Amino acid sequence: MQFWKVTLIGGLLLLLAPVPSFGQRLPQQRYTHFPWTYDRTVSAGIGAEGTAFTFLGRSRPDTLSGYAALAIPLPPIRGAIGGYYHQQLGTTQQLSEWGLGYTLFLPFTEETNLRLGVQQNWHSLRHTGQPEGGTPKPDQQLTSTDFSGLLRRDNLLLGLSMENALNKGQRQYNALLGFRELQSYSWLRSSSFLLVQIQDGRELPEFRFNYTGTVLNTLLLGGSYYKNGLYQWGANAGFKFFRSLWLVAGADFKGFTTQPDALELGLRLNVGRGRIRPAADEDRRSSRLWEEGP
């Protein structure tokens, strides 16, 4: 299929990109459904899929995590606003992160626009464990500012971002290539996402790829492949209701075993004008608007 050719070419270009060197890293969020959280790592994606509410809960043997985000487009000012909150509870430390972002979009055509985003983040790390024979570690507070750009054309999303942009030597770069619900067959819609993260203090970038198929516009089945990260592969499944509500579950694995190393549940509500629709839905909508008139 044509979209697989585009995905493969884009992925190869990203794999061949030069890798800068860094020193210190910001805390990382890892979720099986990272295509739902790309507007955190590429803030120009805020509002790119219309009004959206996202919640993800994740469980590991020693950690519980939760992520919630809301994005609201503002068509009168050609922009969007959004915010997120991430909480991670571990046996020895607790991490809290939250942020507010704004996106300005510059339309080229009715289907294509360039989006420019800025996001301010607050990070709080609290140590809860008491070291034996030592002094407790102090709590840490950190703020960071992200700049990003994203090109949207129909179902295509292509973005670049610089996290912690104001602190030279402590930055992180993200590259995103995504296709949302492309019509592969009459019964199948395909979503594929590639995320590349170049982190401070790492010699190699981290790659995350996910493909999810939507069968009969209801059943979701997908899998992920990871490289240079904590996990090797993942699987996800769920249901889509009313063309706007997704309920999903996922699991990540550190090796090729049947015992998952992380489990995840998620909910996403995507409504309103501007959300990405399959091509067949867009054709029907355009025909209806043409028949009804302005």
Side-chain angles (χ1 to χ4, degrees):
M1 301 299 294
Q2 184 66 30
F3 76 92
W4 277 113
K5 296 179 181 178
V6 176
T7 302
L8 180 59
I9 293 173
L12 290 175
L13 290 175
L14 291 173
L15 288 171
L16 295 174
V19 181
S21 59
F22 299 101
Q24 182 182 354
R25 282 184 281 168
L26 288 172
Q28 294 300 303
Q29 301 175 7
R30 288 184 173 86
Y31 286 92
T32 307
H33 294 87
F34 69 86
W36 286 10
T37 66
Y38 71 81
D39 53 0
R40 160 63 185 94
T41 53
V42 183
S43 60
I46 292 174
E49 299 184 41
T51 300
F53 170 77
T54 302
F55 172 78
L56 291 170
R58 186 173 176 86
S59 174
R60 294 177 55 196
D62 58 349
T63 307
L64 291 175
S65 302
Y67 174 88
L70 177 65
I72 304 175
L74 302 172
I77 62 172
R78 298 188 184 277
I81 58 174
Y84 74 91
Y85 179 77
H86 173 242
Q87 179 75 58
Q88 182 174 298
L89 303 176
T91 55
T92 60
Q93 62 183 24
Q94 298 180 7
L95 173 65
S96 300
E97 298 178 288
W98 57 95
L100 297 173
Y102 169 77
T103 295
L104 172 69
F105 59 88
L106 308 173
F108 296 143
T109 67
E110 186 175 352
E111 297 83 15
T112 306
N113 58 70
L114 174 66
R115 314 173 75 90
L116 303 175
V118 59
Q119 184 167 257
Q120 182 68 20
N121 310 288
W122 293 266
H123 316 268
S124 176
L125 181 62
R126 181 186 175 205
H127 298 277
T128 57
Q130 180 69 31
E132 296 184 4
T135 58
K137 294 182 179 180
D139 297 343
Q140 298 176 348
Q141 308 290 331
L142 175 67
T143 60
S144 62
T145 304
D146 307 341
F147 298 123
S148 60
L150 183 136
L151 177 68
R152 173 185 166 179
R153 177 177 172 83
D154 296 325
N155 300 63
L156 166 68
L157 299 164
L158 178 63
L160 294 170
S161 71
M162 181 191 299
E163 292 191 63
N164 205 14
L166 302 182
N167 292 325
K168 186 177 180 180
Q170 300 180 15
R171 296 168 180 163
Q172 174 175 300
Y173 298 87
N174 303 305
L176 173 78
L177 175 64
F179 297 90
R180 183 75 80 187
E181 292 209 331
L182 289 175
Q183 194 82 39
S184 303
Y185 300 97
S186 60
W187 52 272
L188 176 65
R189 294 164 182 172
S190 299
S191 299
S192 54
F193 278 81
L194 173 68
L195 178 65
V196 181
Q197 294 186 311
I198 302 173
Q199 301 174 3
D200 196 1
R202 291 180 63 108
E203 295 182 358
L204 297 174
E206 181 177 347
F207 298 90
R208 304 182 207 176
F209 177 79
N210 174 267
Y211 169 83
T212 298
T214 306
V215 181
L216 299 177
N217 204 28
T218 303
L219 178 64
L220 306 174
L221 296 172
S224 298
Y225 170 75
Y226 310 115
K227 183 179 179 181
N228 302 330
L230 185 62
Y231 303 100
Q232 290 190 15
W233 64 284
N236 58 277
F239 296 95
K240 177 182 176 183
F241 302 101
F242 316 115
R243 301 177 184 267
S244 299
L245 178 66
W246 287 260
L247 299 175
V248 296
D252 284 328
F253 302 80
K254 293 183 179 179
F256 291 96
T257 65
T258 58
Q259 181 65 35
D261 295 284
L263 296 173
E264 187 173 300
L265 294 175
L267 177 149
R268 183 174 174 87
L269 179 64
N270 186 202
V271 297
R273 182 180 177 184
R275 65 191 178 99
I276 293 179
R277 296 178 172 89
D281 289 358
E282 291 289 357
D283 291 343
R284 285 193 293 268
R285 179 173 177 270
S286 300
S287 299
R288 186 177 68 254
L289 291 176
W290 177 263
E291 294 172 357
E292 294 175 354

